[in-house]
Amino acid sequence: QVQLVASGGGLVQPGGSLRLSCAASGSILSFNYMDWYRQAPGKERELVARVTVGGSTNYAASVKGRFTISRDNTKNTVYLQMNSLKHEDTAVYYCYAETSREGYWGQGTQVTVSS
């Protein structure tokens, strides 16, 4: 059973930075892609960033230029570096990974941007 463990959330002031980590229990090379999603109170879960097994990335328009997704295959971990954080980035952030057969969700990590 694949497990994804997200960490790194917290409270940060506007303009600040955080780095989220998503550690997998097995090799992340088995996943076609890995994503970061977020869900703010009263809103639907939205895709924030994706990195494919080949290293290609794409981002939601709202975070492009501020967030960077990356992967470390040796540590079986995907990261989300978040810079220039805004109030509207406040949400629970989830990692997600998908093989050709199945998708897996990690538990959420809370990010709160507040002064």
Side-chain angles (χ1 to χ4, degrees):
Q1 180 72 11
V2 173
Q3 288 188 328
L4 302 175
V5 179
S7 62
L11 173 64
V12 63
Q13 292 186 342
S17 298
L18 280 175
R19 188 176 80 156
L20 306 183
S21 300
C22 176
S25 57
S27 173
I28 63 173
L29 293 173
S30 64
F31 301 127
N32 292 330
Y33 54 85
M34 296 184 73
D35 299 336
W36 283 100
Y37 281 78
R38 67 186 180 188
Q39 187 165 19
K43 295 188 176 181
E44 293 187 356
R45 193 172 294 190
E46 63 170 348
L47 177 62
V48 174
R50 170 172 290 175
V51 60
T52 70
V53 66
S56 299
T57 58
N58 52 60
Y59 299 90
S62 58
V63 307
K64 211 167 190 177
R66 300 188 297 121
F67 290 11
T68 302
I69 190 170
S70 62
R71 57 191 293 153
D72 186 335
N73 296 333
T74 65
K75 296 182 178 179
N76 294 319
T77 300
V78 170
Y79 303 98
L80 185 68
Q81 178 67 43
M82 305 185 295
N83 299 328
S84 302
L85 283 160
K86 305 176 181 180
H87 289 291
E88 51 264 43
D89 295 318
T90 294
V92 179
Y93 285 71
Y94 299 89
C95 57
Y96 174 80
E98 191 168 295
T99 67
S100 57
R101 295 184 180 182
E102 198 167 352
Y104 304 90
W105 287 97
Q107 93 291 0
T109 184
Q110 175 71 47
V111 172
T112 302
V113 184
S114 176
S115 52

